[in-house]
Amino acid sequence: VQLQASGGGLVQPGGSLRLSCAASGLDFSTYSMTWFRQAPGKEREFVTTIDWTSNVIYYADSVKGRFTISRDNAKNTVYLQMNSLKPEDTAVYYCAALLSSVSSWVRDYRYWGQGTQVTVSS
């Protein structure tokens, strides 16, 4: 199983970025997909998750209304659209896959991408 995250970069406060995570080696349409993030010196934290049908979606309160998760099962890819970015959104963003159910717990995930750096700074 391979998860390849991309799309990170440096953006000014208030700006936008779109992250992608391309999956291979698994039956993507049966996995929920989740984004976590980890800032320097902090624990990895849940950002958002989407189930395989796209009918079940959860967001952390800190990103609700600013971030949007979506997926394209035909392309084996999950996306994270991030708008109105704030300096506190600065972190390495990781995608992760979980068979069938959704979860916001890091410990539940076996498959992880390598992470992509997002830096929000003027």
Side-chain angles (χ1 to χ4, degrees):
V1 174
Q2 188 170 17
L3 303 177
Q4 183 70 39
S6 61
L10 173 64
V11 64
Q12 292 186 342
S16 297
L17 279 176
R18 189 194 195 203
L19 306 184
S20 300
C21 175
S24 59
L26 73 170
D27 186 357
F28 184 76
S29 63
T30 65
Y31 279 76
S32 65
M33 298 298 296
T34 302
W35 289 96
F36 292 87
R37 67 186 181 185
Q38 188 166 18
K42 294 188 177 181
E43 293 186 351
R44 194 167 297 188
E45 66 174 7
F46 168 79
V47 177
T48 179
T49 189
I50 185 168
D51 81 331
W52 65 276
T53 69
S54 299
N55 290 329
V56 178
I57 294 175
Y58 297 111
Y59 295 97
D61 287 344
S62 58
V63 306
K64 204 170 293 182
R66 301 187 298 121
F67 290 11
T68 302
I69 190 171
S70 62
R71 64 188 293 160
D72 185 337
N73 287 346
K75 295 183 178 180
N76 286 6
T77 301
V78 62
Y79 305 98
L80 181 63
Q81 178 66 45
M82 305 186 295
N83 299 329
S84 302
L85 282 161
K86 305 175 181 180
E88 51 263 43
D89 295 317
T90 295
V92 177
Y93 283 71
Y94 298 91
C95 56
L98 181 63
L99 183 62
S100 299
S101 61
V102 294
S103 173
S104 62
W105 295 99
V106 170
R107 66 188 182 213
D108 288 339
Y109 288 81
R110 177 180 179 185
Y111 301 119
W112 291 87
Q114 85 289 359
T116 185
Q117 176 70 48
V118 172
T119 302
V120 184
S121 175
S122 55

